[in-house]
Amino acid sequence: MPSNTTAPPAKKKGRRARLILLVLVLALVAGVGYGGYWGVSTVRASFPQTTGEIRLDSLSGEVEVKRDANGVPQIYADNETDLFRAQGYVQAQDRFYEMDVRRHVTAGRLSEMFGESQVETDSFLRTLGWRRVAQQEYDKVLSPETKKYLQAYAEGVNAYLKDRDPADVSVEYAALALTNDYAIEPWTPVDSVAWLKAMAWDLRGNMQDEIDRSLMTSRMSASQIKQLYPDYPYALHQPIVDRGAVDDSTGKFDPKGKAGDGDDDLTTGETPGSVPGSGSGSSGSSDGSGSSGSSGAQSQLGALSEVLDGVPALLGPNGNGIGSNSWVVSGKYTTSGKPLLANDPHLAPQLPSLWYQMGLHCRSVSATCRYDVSGYTFSGMPGVIIGHNDKIAWGLTNLGADVTDLYLEKIGPDGYLVDGKVKPFTVRDEIIKVAGGEDRTITVRSTDRGPLVSDRSSDLEKVGQKAPVGNAAPDRGTGYGVSLQWTALQPGRSMDAIFALDRAKDFDQFRAAAKNFEVPSQNLIYADTEGNIGYQSPGKIPQRSKGYDGTVPAPGWDSSYKWKGYIPFERLPYEYNPKRGYIVTANQAVIDAKNYPDLLTKDWGYGSRSQRINDLIESKIKDGGKISPDDMRTMQTDNRSEIATLLNPLLLKVDISDPYVREAQKLLEGWDYTQEPDSAAAAYFNAVWRNVLKLSFGDKLPKELRAEGDCINVRPADATGPVDEQNKLVRECGQRDPDSAQPDGGDRWYEVVRPLLKQEKSEWWVTPGNRTDPATETRDQLLARAMKDARWELTAKLGKDVSTWSWGRLHQLTLKNQTLGTAGPGVVQQLLNRGPWNLGGGEAAVDATGWNAAGGYEVIWVPSMRMVVNVGDWDKSRWINLTGASGHAFNDHYTDQTDAWANGDLYDWAYGRAAVDAATKDTLKLKP
């Protein structure tokens, strides 16, 4: 039966074009042509008032807003509700357009702003129902105190919006007015809560890996797929927690416990890509014949991947790159004698930056006004996410827990099958309003596990029609649907946790706050003025049935695959003052699985960054050395390439006869593996690495994983027998957005390549020849071809003269306005975008200016901010943001921190009242 009454989805566009409405862009360009209409007065109309006095009816007392030379505000109030009212007002002054777009994303209402082009995206977001879950959290779960703060924040935002024309709020609204009668709605508390759902979506874990493993079965065997997803290298890369176990007698995690036996049966034992217990990979079939039935599954899972790829990623494309660095060092090893804490979350570059720096201060801290906190906030949400108060400091990195599972569902007109019985769907209708068009109505169907995401594509309605499952599966009929179970689709208390963190005074209070930080699951590091350091792994992490590890889609018709519950908080790993004197989290494994019985995920980051940080710390503290705040900053900007330490020595041994290629090879002689912006060696090595990956792996992957525009001649996926007239090569082009295509070159691929480099012969080194290059059969033959291809690639990009090459010319960052600045005529981009900047660093380096080797060299991941907290001597802490405080193009604080950020510099971070007063350039008084 039809479940989606919208038109068939349009052809997929790249992620960065998803929020663009061409007519809107053209209207903006036309507006520029009118001269005076887009004059200085129009642009400046939305700039915030930062001095003098403003009357706000909602306030109960006077509030001061003190801004420094970078426009960063510190707010002082006499009570908590006034503090958060003022936060809402000030963030709306600087960032309301960003906030408004964000709430339309989380509510699935982009079509109301940008028209027809966003119907497909809205349909998927409505199916997920972020806004509905946020409403449930606000109505039924969050504490009365938290709701009071959220309401106060909304009052502040609305006080700013009151009596303002949209064009006076942001220049983008002036452009919208040319094509749309869009009106700004009042802000609500649920708008703030819903933002956490978008954050959780972008940090959701291994859903893409789950899909990719299944897609690979069309062209790869189970053993090949296993090679491309190697086990975490515990012997090489230290996990966050290096000891500890769950006490069998109490069921609690003991950070000093001895290693237990663990659970030796955490994997399915099934072929990757298959439905557990139902057949294997590309050879399963419902009739047990062993004939391939994977082609339909591949196209349907590919369609799902395409839908996921099209969802606006507010933090960045989901995958191996999304992460962060954080570490804390005990005062025993620091020059200050107090702990030092560093953090730099790695997210997609955005303009304005995702982060908004701010201080929230009660003039007199007491039982009735408890906040004296400073750090990084999200525009549109009250509180501080990362930072410090007067007693403790904390940082966050993504834990990467597996909190999503896809289920194949046997569906029919009356419902879905579970244990031989049909259960009815939960059904609701959603109306999508479309600017300049007719409303669309969609029907959302959900199972007990979650929404039927396959309803959102005409292709996905047939998902599983030829799914690779065996006799244990029910009759496929017209196909299987796909449902999604995800922890963030259940009401939680993460918003409560934010405020509790902001006012925590010791490790016990810190852990109590972390207990409610349910989604997204994060690594939390800690330090306090008493000299203690700590770590806590929080999050709502499912406990799966024994024998299922969440790495491939599960059979929804078998209830034994349902989640049994969640890992109790008391069992989650933590550390407090570990003997080694420091804690490093950089998305590596939390704890060795041999020491821990619960399954957190099978898809960790592979630990290159974390181990490099561990090594840097150890090198400083050996023989009694001490670490200074400047040492912490230097570590944050370390750009050494770990894959180069493995691959470069082999490249230098390859006999290159072509003098043109040999000239480039010489660049690698004596290279120290650092990736400075002006390094020719780094440019050439990274081009060679990209071509090694393409030749060895990329050209062997199915089209659903390869980048758009990457076209190769291959045998059809379901071909058998020799190549002949009936079974000839076909032209296949990649289908995935370049930012998320494979092989991406991240540290998973380091571990794939590491053992292969010791093998002169491997199936991965075998490539077909072409008109200009012979086939390769050995490692050195493939490396030689990759060096040749890299030489020609960089000649085209950077010129013939290798002495003029530089990594920064390839590896550029352009900051783009997230709606009107991401595509369209150059004049629009010139108005709203900034850059490019030539950057050093690279994928899986500590200075994680990430790039996707399958897509190109453009910077797609960045340290979105950096901070080094000098615990106890707070005014000697330092910080920086990627862009600036303002979201208004042409404001002085639009990108005023970016040059310093690109240079690896940090600014002074005033916290105490005297330091704030000394740094203040503008003071605004908000009065009742």
Side-chain angles (χ1 to χ4, degrees), residues 27-220:
L28 179 59
V29 175
V32 173
Y34 286 120
Y37 184 82
W38 293 103
V40 173
S41 60
T42 301
V43 173
R44 291 187 174 275
S46 59
F47 287 7
Q49 177 182 338
T50 58
T51 61
E53 296 181 357
I54 296 176
R55 298 283 178 177
L56 300 185
D57 294 339
S58 58
L59 288 177
S60 61
E62 182 177 293
V63 177
E64 291 177 289
V65 182
K66 292 177 166 289
R67 295 177 184 261
D68 65 11
N70 293 114
V72 174
Q74 303 285 337
I75 299 176
Y76 292 87
D78 291 323
N79 62 75
E80 294 173 352
T81 52
D82 277 355
L83 195 62
F84 294 117
R85 285 188 187 99
Q87 183 181 16
Y89 186 91
V90 171
Q91 288 189 339
Q93 281 187 305
D94 281 330
R95 298 282 194 94
F96 184 77
Y97 180 73
E98 173 197 7
M99 293 162 57
D100 199 17
V101 171
R102 185 176 292 166
R103 68 168 165 175
H104 278 76
V105 170
T106 59
R109 296 174 57 197
L110 287 167
S111 301
E112 295 178 24
M113 295 185 79
F114 303 108
E116 184 79 23
S117 66
Q118 300 309 303
V119 169
E120 182 183 351
T121 297
D122 282 345
S123 296
F124 188 74
L125 293 168
R126 295 286 186 94
T127 299
L128 294 180
W130 293 349
R131 171 74 186 210
R132 295 179 71 254
V133 179
Q135 186 71 57
Q136 292 168 8
E137 288 183 357
Y138 185 79
D139 291 342
K140 301 177 181 179
V141 178
L142 296 179
S143 70
E145 182 176 67
T146 293
K147 290 196 279 190
K148 179 177 69 173
Y149 297 154
L150 289 164
Q151 185 61 47
Y153 181 89
E155 289 170 358
V157 175
N158 292 328
Y160 173 73
L161 296 175
K162 184 179 179 182
D163 299 328
R164 277 187 167 82
D165 291 331
D168 294 333
V169 174
S170 188
V171 70
E172 289 91 341
Y173 291 114
L176 278 173
L178 297 177
T179 60
N180 190 351
D181 59 357
Y182 176 77
I184 297 174
E185 296 178 355
W187 193 264
T188 74
V190 180
D191 292 332
S192 297
V193 179
W195 165 236
L196 285 173
K197 300 303 170 187
M199 181 181 174
W201 175 255
D202 286 342
L203 302 175
R204 64 191 177 272
N206 76 336
M207 185 193 297
Q208 193 65 61
D209 290 325
E210 190 175 332
I211 294 170
D212 287 355
R213 274 185 283 257
S214 296
L215 291 170
M216 286 179 182
T217 61
S218 68
R219 293 203 173 273
M220 294 180 176

Side-chain angles (χ1 to χ4, degrees), residues 12 245 312 319 329 380 458 598 669 716 721 736 738 797-798 865 868 896:
K12 180 167 101 55
V329 181
S458 57
D598 293 301
E669 296 175 357
R736 186 163 290 180
K797 293 179 180 294
L798 301 179
M865 63 79 158
V868 174
D896 59 333

Side-chain angles (χ1 to χ4, degrees), residues 26 36 46 92 229 237 325 519 533 544 567 599 607 618 739 841 911:
L26 294 176
S46 59
Y229 287 89
H237 298 159
N325 301 323
V519 290
I533 64 172
R544 294 171 175 85
I567 301 173
L599 177 63
E618 285 289 341
D739 286 1
Y911 171 73

Side-chain angles (χ1 to χ4, degrees), residues 335 340 627-636 868 878 906:
T335 56
L340 296 174
I627 294 176
S628 69
D630 197 54
D631 291 330
M632 300 282 277
R633 181 199 65 82
T634 300
M635 292 178 193
Q636 286 181 323
V868 174
R878 311 200 78 201
L906 299 174

Side-chain angles (χ1 to χ4, degrees), residues 739-806:
D739 286 1
S740 55
Q742 293 294 333
D744 61 19
D747 61 359
R748 171 165 69 89
W749 294 98
Y750 296 4
E751 297 309 313
V752 171
V753 169
R754 186 190 300 276
L756 294 176
L757 291 178
K758 300 175 183 178
Q759 304 173 30
E760 179 60 26
K761 288 195 173 183
S762 165
E763 63 180 332
W764 299 108
W765 303 135
V766 177
T767 65
N770 55 39
R771 287 178 297 177
T772 59
D773 293 293
T776 66
E777 296 182 353
T778 68
R779 178 195 67 198
D780 287 353
Q781 288 174 350
L782 185 138
L783 295 183
R785 182 169 166 184
M787 283 194 281
K788 176 185 176 182
D789 290 351
R791 177 31 155 147
W792 285 106
E793 181 185 2
L794 294 200
T795 298
K797 293 179 180 294
L798 301 179
K800 290 183 179 180
D801 186 353
V802 299
S803 68
T804 67
W805 289 0
S806 70

Side-chain angles (χ1 to χ4, degrees), residues 12 208 211-212 214-220 294-303 305-306 309 459 694 697-719 730-738 740-743 854:
K12 180 167 101 55
Q208 193 65 61
I211 294 170
D212 287 355
S214 296
L215 291 170
M216 286 179 182
T217 61
S218 68
R219 293 203 173 273
M220 294 180 176
S294 64
S295 59
Q298 307 316 308
S299 63
Q300 311 313 331
L301 285 168
S305 178
E306 190 170 299
D309 208 33
D459 288 333
K694 175 178 171 60
F697 310 105
D699 289 352
K700 299 177 176 71
L701 293 173
K703 62 182 180 297
E704 293 89 354
L705 273 69
R706 300 199 318 273
E708 291 175 323
D710 177 12
C711 300
I712 56 176
N713 293 322
V714 296
R715 297 179 68 194
D718 57 356
V730 297
R731 190 73 167 164
E732 269 193 4
C733 295
Q735 296 179 347
R736 186 163 290 180
D737 188 284
S740 55
Q742 293 294 333

